[in-house]
Amino acid sequence: MPNRIIKALYIDDDAALGRLVQRILGRRGYQVDHVTTAEAGLVRLADGDIDVVILDHDLGTTSGLTVLEGLRAREQAPPVVYVTASTELSIAVQALKAGAVDYVVKAIGDDFEVLLVAALEQAVERARLMRAKEEAELEVRQAKDRAEMLLAEVNHRVANSLALVGSLVRMQAGAVKEPGAKAALAETQARITAIANLHRSLYTSTDVQQVDLAAYLDTLVGELGNSITASGRTPIVKLDAEPVSIKTDRAVSVGMIATELVTNALKYAYPVGEGEVRVSVSRTPSNQIMLSVADDGVGWTGDGTAKGSGLGAKIIAAMSKSLGSTLEYRSQPIGTLASITFDEKLG
């Protein structure tokens, strides 16, 4: 017997059998409403609060299949147990295909009662489990949406905070007279911008676990160029990047490496005058990702003592290690070409 009153709707044009089913199920804790036509059944179902439907196949001028067809278009329709006096299997198959969850053959005696009650209990329990599953899935989706919204808000605030820090560093650089200190602050500001741009990419993206590397580097390279231009120089920084998505933490490393290499090229490749710096991202034949920065300047092969404080080289080495790679300098007729090659997911 059900633990609570189950409301059932019995649709059958046989009034006597309807009263019998009401008595049978009433003893087992069911509340049964009986209607004799398909139209009346659909009207009663529209009122709601029905847990399960007992639907007779032969409704005089129509069949129970018509009711099943009408229920198919309704959201959260109650489960239907199909009953028929015919033993033809084809009727049961049609009913099940049309949406019934079970069927029972009408018979005189206790067998019909036992089979009907068993079918009803299974239908109600199945519907309960389906509702519980849908509710759980809805809660998971809502929790995921809330988490993504909060994470986007965090990235938004971090990006804004880093942008503010970068602005303060830039203002400090403008107030400093000593060229070395001014350059050091400018490099610091560029590093802060690289991380801020990543967080900005994350809060505007629908996927916080992956970063569009081409879009990220495009913003990064543009701001690096603008930063150098603000200092009175007019560099040319070009980006050629294939569509590549990588994990967020790996994008941080790639962005920092790109920032250091571009900054070094702009500082040291062209001691006199201006020149071009080219940043590229591509896939190798072995499906790895290659980041390269090239210039047409004085040239550097990685041998000997590097110019500057060496902090940039340490940052590049640390970030390359996190990617499972090392920086390589490739020989070319003119200028410098530095690159790293790494796996998309490993490292």
Side-chain angles (χ1 to χ4, degrees):
M1 180 181 295
N3 294 325
R4 65 177 181 86
I5 294 178
I6 303 298
K7 291 186 177 181
L9 175 64
Y10 183 34
I11 306 175
D12 192 335
D13 64 345
D14 188 333
L17 186 56
R19 290 191 295 272
L20 175 62
V21 169
Q22 284 179 317
R23 288 198 299 272
I24 289 173
L25 295 181
R27 293 195 301 268
R28 294 178 175 267
Y30 288 81
Q31 178 182 319
V32 181
D33 290 353
H34 175 229
V35 296
T36 57
T37 66
E39 293 79 9
L42 291 173
V43 170
R44 176 63 185 86
L45 285 169
D47 294 335
D49 78 357
I50 294 297
D51 298 304
V52 64
V53 178
I54 309 164
L55 178 60
D56 185 44
H57 174 66
D58 188 358
L59 297 176
T61 58
T62 186
S63 76
L65 296 175
T66 302
V67 178
L68 288 174
E69 186 66 30
L71 287 177
R72 182 177 294 178
R74 301 192 181 194
E75 292 185 2
Q76 298 181 336
V80 176
V81 174
Y82 209 72
V83 295
T84 175
S86 174
T87 58
E88 291 185 18
L89 185 60
S90 61
I91 294 177
V93 171
Q94 281 183 293
L96 294 174
K97 286 184 176 180
V101 299
D102 205 346
Y103 75 95
V104 176
V105 176
K106 289 181 182 179
I108 299 175
D110 295 337
D111 286 350
F112 175 62
E113 178 180 346
V114 172
L115 292 173
L116 179 60
V117 171
L120 289 175
E121 290 180 351
Q122 291 178 10
V124 170
E125 179 63 12
R126 177 181 176 184
R128 185 190 68 79
L129 293 174
M130 287 297 295
R131 285 195 300 271
K133 178 186 176 184
E134 290 172 357
E135 290 172 359
E137 290 175 345
L138 177 60
E139 289 178 1
V140 169
R141 288 196 299 271
Q142 290 175 338
K144 180 175 179 290
D145 290 342
R146 285 194 297 270
E148 289 181 349
M149 182 179 65
L150 289 173
L151 186 55
E153 178 64 19
V154 168
N155 281 309
H156 179 67
R157 295 189 180 189
V158 170
N160 285 347
S161 297
L162 289 171
L164 176 59
V165 173
S167 297
L168 293 174
V169 172
R170 183 167 56 250
M171 291 172 62
Q172 185 65 53
V176 171
K177 302 301 181 182
E178 202 277 314
K182 186 183 290 288
L185 287 171
E187 291 175 16
T188 300
Q189 192 267 334
R191 291 161 186 152
I192 294 171
T193 298
I195 301 174
N197 282 336
L198 176 66
H199 286 279
R200 189 172 294 112
S201 298
L202 290 177
Y203 77 72
T204 58
S205 172
T206 57
D207 185 357
V208 296
Q209 296 182 335
Q210 298 283 323
V211 173
D212 181 345
L213 193 56
Y216 170 46
L217 290 178
D218 183 54
T219 301
L220 181 63
V221 166
E223 293 205 10
L224 280 172
N226 292 336
S227 176
I228 299 298
T229 300
S231 67
R233 300 171 59 190
T234 54
I236 300 173
V237 185
K238 295 182 177 179
L239 173 68
D240 180 16
E242 295 182 10
V244 174
S245 292
I246 63 174
K247 291 183 178 179
T248 302
D249 56 344
R250 298 171 71 72
V252 173
S253 299
V254 174
M256 292 299 292
I257 292 170
T259 297
E260 297 302 324
L261 291 177
V262 171
T263 300
N264 286 344
L266 293 173
K267 284 173 60 179
Y268 305 122
Y270 306 103
V272 179
E274 305 292 346
E276 182 178 278
V277 177
R278 297 175 296 279
V279 182
S280 69
V281 176
S282 60
R283 288 191 179 275
T284 67
S286 59
N287 206 34
Q288 290 182 303
I289 300 172
M290 177 185 291
L291 167 73
S292 65
V293 176
D295 61 65
D296 301 321
V298 298
W300 167 255
T301 62
D303 298 326
T305 302
K307 296 181 180 180
S309 65
L311 178 59
K314 292 178 181 178
I315 292 175
I316 291 173
M319 296 297 103
S320 297
K321 184 177 180 180
S322 72
L323 293 171
S325 179
T326 56
L327 181 68
E328 297 180 355
Y329 287 91
R330 307 189 179 204
S331 61
Q332 55 181 14
I334 185 173
T336 302
L337 191 154
S339 67
I340 59 165
T341 303
F342 58 95
D343 291 321
E344 186 171 347
K345 298 179 180 179
L346 303 178

